[in-house]
Amino acid sequence: MIKNLSGVYETVEYENQRFVMLYDNDEVEEYPIHWHNAIEIIIPLHNGFTLTSGGKTYHLSEKDIMIIPPGELHYMPAQDGRRIIFQCDNSVISEVPSLESIMPVLSSALHITPQLNKELYVISRKSILDIYAEYYSNAPMADAKIYVYLLHMLTAVREFQLEKAEETSAANASSADESRKFGLVTKYINQNYMYELPLEKLASIAGYSKYHFSRIFKEYNGVSYIQYINGKRIKAAERLMADSSYPITEVAMQCGFASLTTFNRAFKKAKGCTPTEFRKMYKYSD
């Protein structure tokens, strides 16, 4: 059940000052299209589960795992069954500089099955079941252990993604060299997203032609370089819009958007609402 929904924005309420929320859910109810700032992980325990995330429909078998990234619109029709729905405050990952290397995991939805990778599936399933056990244990160290299990799972996912990217690009460059190059590119974007970032400049940092760079960047990060840049800009805009003293036009300019129109279009595509609507919802959620 969604407790606080304003438009398509859900305010996730974490009980007792925890950073996580877990539902052992067997209710037959529709979850209308919505998004939130939480990381969401779903695992059906009895009967399959269907959901749409980022415009793509996924059919989960029992014990499959679905990671829905923060900020992504998703929808779940009413359906029989039992499933674990886990939500986690995104800030415990995104605001820790040392965890920046696993953030690409949260760029798009991911459906984890035994067919995708057996080892990753086993790690992910065990992590969620361990989280489930700790959540209801009321032990003093429960939340600390939950955090460790979550990081273990997300790290395993990122290592799997990097291995796949290395396999795909093995004919083009050594994995270590490619990792270093794209590490430089993402670091440059993270530090300069508020400025114009021409494709030619990013490709030159990696030492590739712009055409080759675009393809390899998406393989390495799971999203296109434009999506990656806009994701950084929109996340920065969300933080600025929490301060009502900043005009929206100024927010757009400070975050690297060339015009208010471009900002409005990109923000609505990512969030399903305009910046003005988002600011109203943020104020309401406070």
Side-chain angles (χ1 to χ4, degrees), residues 26-46:
D26 60 1
E27 297 176 355
V28 181
E29 63 175 336
E30 178 187 28
Y31 288 75
I33 189 165
H34 65 287
W35 67 275
H36 43 64
N37 285 323
I39 301 165
E40 184 164 334
I41 302 174
I42 299 173
I43 175 170
L45 300 178
H46 178 65

Side-chain angles (χ1 to χ4, degrees), residues 156-179:
V157 173
R158 186 55 184 152
E159 288 177 340
F160 166 74
Q161 291 176 334
L162 291 173
E163 288 172 5
K164 294 295 289 184
E166 288 168 3
E167 291 172 5
T168 302
S169 61
N172 302 313
S174 70
S175 60
D177 186 49
E178 189 164 282
S179 179

